[in-house]
Amino acid sequence: MGKRVNLLQEWVDQQVKGLKGLEVKTTALQAISGDASFRHYFRLQANEETLIAVDAPPGTENNPAFVAIADALHSGGALVPLVHAFDINRGFLLLSDLGDQQLLGLLNTDTVDRYYRKALDSLILMQKLQCADIKRLEKDWAFSCPDYDLKRLQDEMHLFSDWFLAQYLDLHLNQTRQYSLEHAFNLLAASALEQPQVFVHRDYHSRNIMVTSDDSLAIIDFQDGVCGPITYDLVSLLKDCYVSWPSQQVNQWLMQYAEAAQQAGLFGAAGVRKEQLLKWFDWMGVQRHLKAIGIFARLKIRDNKSGYLKDIPRTFNYMLDASQRYPELELLHQTLIDLVLPKLLKVNPDAALCIDGQFLP
């Protein structure tokens, strides 16, 4: 790592001189907190401006996608890191500095409506990047932005059964229950695939939205996006695994989004009925939360990272709430209630779990 930091420092100094003029003075790179990938972030001072240098090894990071999508989103009006310079072969990036304030840290009952309205506006701008646009970028920049196809959707839901049920809870379903689970997976995947397909961030939630010094919202960590269902990022935001809000308020935001998305032409000329959008949204949420719970369990078992276990009850509540309202998902709901819930309460007795609107003691 030390050698790469030295190379990055040399590269940054050269790039900043080209951007700012020969008299520019830069400071040494200061490491700042990174993310779950192999990327490492550094802050530096360039005269009166701070910039972010990124070491993103090309063998593990999708740097062409980041650069191309950042430019496309910026051109579409979304606030994202500006890419001042890049070296794709070495995996070096020089970005604008959006600060350190995640949206999650500023959310409370007094601020959430204002910030979520802004976040929904940003989502609309991001979703205007259609799959056809992404395909053109793929060709020009030689990167892959896969489709959220049936296999990907199914593989994600199997994280729930493979890692959470079988390994974390030591719960092995009989043939009938396993069939009912697979049937639910098929229904959820079909619902996702029938939706309008747009660019999907995949993690558009309060930890990947930055609040800048002028209180604007900026989108980060979009390089692993895909072409997929229009409600996916909407669920990520409104049914966030790290914070939850009253269902009535969530539905209000959903309808606000629907009106704005319709005006932006995201649902096509025919539009979408309120009931259809709500079903898409709820079922997409079940799919995403199955995946998320499986990932949280995998992080604990495989990577010895237990910090996400505390988010499982909230995420599980989302699934209970949605599955109880659709007859087609009744078998899934009963499996969650009859078999999964007792096991979860056994391993996590303090979990705040809710059934039919009533929290368990």
Side-chain angles (χ1 to χ4, degrees):
M1 182 62 191
K3 181 178 180 181
R4 283 191 64 85
V5 173
N6 293 336
L7 291 173
L8 178 62
Q9 180 80 65
E10 294 175 1
W11 178 82
V12 165
D13 291 341
Q14 295 173 354
Q15 300 306 314
V16 170
K17 288 180 180 179
L19 289 170
K20 304 292 183 179
L22 294 178
E23 300 303 318
V24 71
K25 294 182 179 180
T26 61
T27 59
L29 300 181
Q30 300 296 317
I32 57 179
S33 59
D35 53 26
S37 72
F38 292 92
R39 294 185 294 272
H40 294 89
Y41 298 87
F42 304 86
R43 181 172 278 118
L44 69 144
Q45 192 80 27
N47 286 353
E48 301 302 317
E49 182 180 359
T50 60
L51 298 170
I52 300 296
V54 186
D55 174 21
T60 59
E61 303 305 307
N62 198 353
N63 295 319
F66 180 88
V67 175
I69 294 172
D71 182 67
L73 291 175
H74 173 70
S75 298
L79 181 57
V80 296
L82 294 178
V83 182
H84 292 302
F86 59 88
D87 186 325
I88 295 296
N89 291 331
R90 289 199 286 179
F92 295 158
L93 303 168
L94 185 61
L95 311 177
S96 60
D97 188 355
L98 298 173
D100 299 315
Q101 181 61 63
Q102 294 177 337
L103 176 59
L104 179 62
L106 297 179
L107 293 178
N108 56 54
T109 54
D110 294 325
T111 64
V112 64
D113 187 65
R114 174 168 58 89
Y115 280 127
Y116 270 34
R117 286 173 181 267
K118 290 184 178 184
L120 290 172
D121 290 341
S122 296
L123 176 59
I124 296 290
L125 293 175
M126 185 165 57
Q127 290 182 332
K128 286 184 177 179
L129 186 60
Q130 299 289 301
C131 291
D133 301 321
I134 291 292
K135 297 306 178 186
R136 286 192 290 270
L137 291 176
E138 283 185 292
K139 182 178 180 181
D140 293 342
W141 285 84
F143 71 88
S144 175
C145 179
D147 293 337
Y148 231 138
D149 57 14
L150 177 61
K151 183 179 185 305
R152 180 179 289 268
L153 290 162
Q154 293 278 12
D155 287 348
E156 289 184 347
M157 288 183 283
H158 281 104
L159 294 172
F160 177 81
S161 51
D162 295 344
W163 286 95
F164 180 66
L165 297 186
Q167 298 197 53
Y168 182 67
L169 297 183
D170 193 25
L171 174 60
H172 303 277
L173 303 180
N174 62 31
Q175 187 174 3
T176 301
R177 293 284 191 170
Q178 185 63 43
Y179 172 81
S180 67
L181 192 65
E182 293 293 338
H183 179 65
F185 288 178
N186 290 333
L187 292 175
L188 295 169
S191 175
L193 293 171
E194 75 178 14
Q195 299 179 34
Q197 305 291 293
V198 296
F199 174 73
V200 175
H201 183 293
R202 293 180 70 206
D203 280 310
Y204 187 67
H205 54 66
S206 57
R207 287 182 172 176
N208 279 332
I209 300 174
M210 307 301 292
V211 183
T212 64
S213 58
D214 65 356
D215 211 39
S216 298
L217 299 189
I219 306 167
I220 63 170
D221 206 24
F222 42 75
Q223 65 280 345
D224 294 320
V226 297
C227 292
I230 195 170
T231 62
Y232 192 94
D233 285 337
L234 190 61
V235 164
S236 301
L237 177 69
L238 300 185
K239 294 187 177 183
D240 194 330
C241 294
Y242 309 114
V243 63
S244 60
W245 308 100
S247 57
Q248 183 178 1
Q249 196 169 21
V250 170
N251 287 336
Q252 289 175 353
W253 290 323
L254 178 61
M255 292 303 106
Q256 291 167 7
Y257 165 83
E259 182 177 352
Q262 182 62 49
Q263 292 176 355
L266 295 179
F267 292 117
V272 63
R273 293 180 295 107
K274 175 182 176 180
E275 296 77 13
Q276 180 65 77
L277 178 60
L278 181 59
K279 182 178 178 181
W280 281 345
F281 176 73
D282 282 341
W283 287 33
M284 193 77 257
V286 177
Q287 191 277 340
R288 173 173 167 77
H289 295 133
L290 287 165
K291 162 194 168 182
I293 290 175
I295 290 175
F296 294 159
R298 185 175 67 184
L299 285 168
K300 166 61 177 174
I301 297 166
R302 188 189 68 183
D303 304 327
N304 198 30
K305 296 179 179 179
S306 60
Y308 293 94
L309 295 181
K310 68 181 183 300
D311 300 307
I312 288 179
R314 180 186 302 107
T315 309
F316 195 82
N317 280 339
Y318 285 134
M319 291 200 303
L320 289 180
D321 178 65
S323 60
Q324 72 181 347
R325 288 186 277 112
Y326 295 91
E328 305 97 311
L329 300 180
E330 180 180 0
L331 292 178
L332 171 63
H333 184 73
Q334 286 307 127
T335 297
L336 296 177
I337 293 294
D338 297 341
L339 300 178
V340 183
L341 181 59
K343 281 279 193 176
L344 179 55
L345 288 173
K346 185 175 181 179
V347 300
N348 189 355
D350 297 326
L353 291 163
C354 179
I355 301 177
D356 297 331
Q358 300 296 318
F359 280 92
L360 299 176

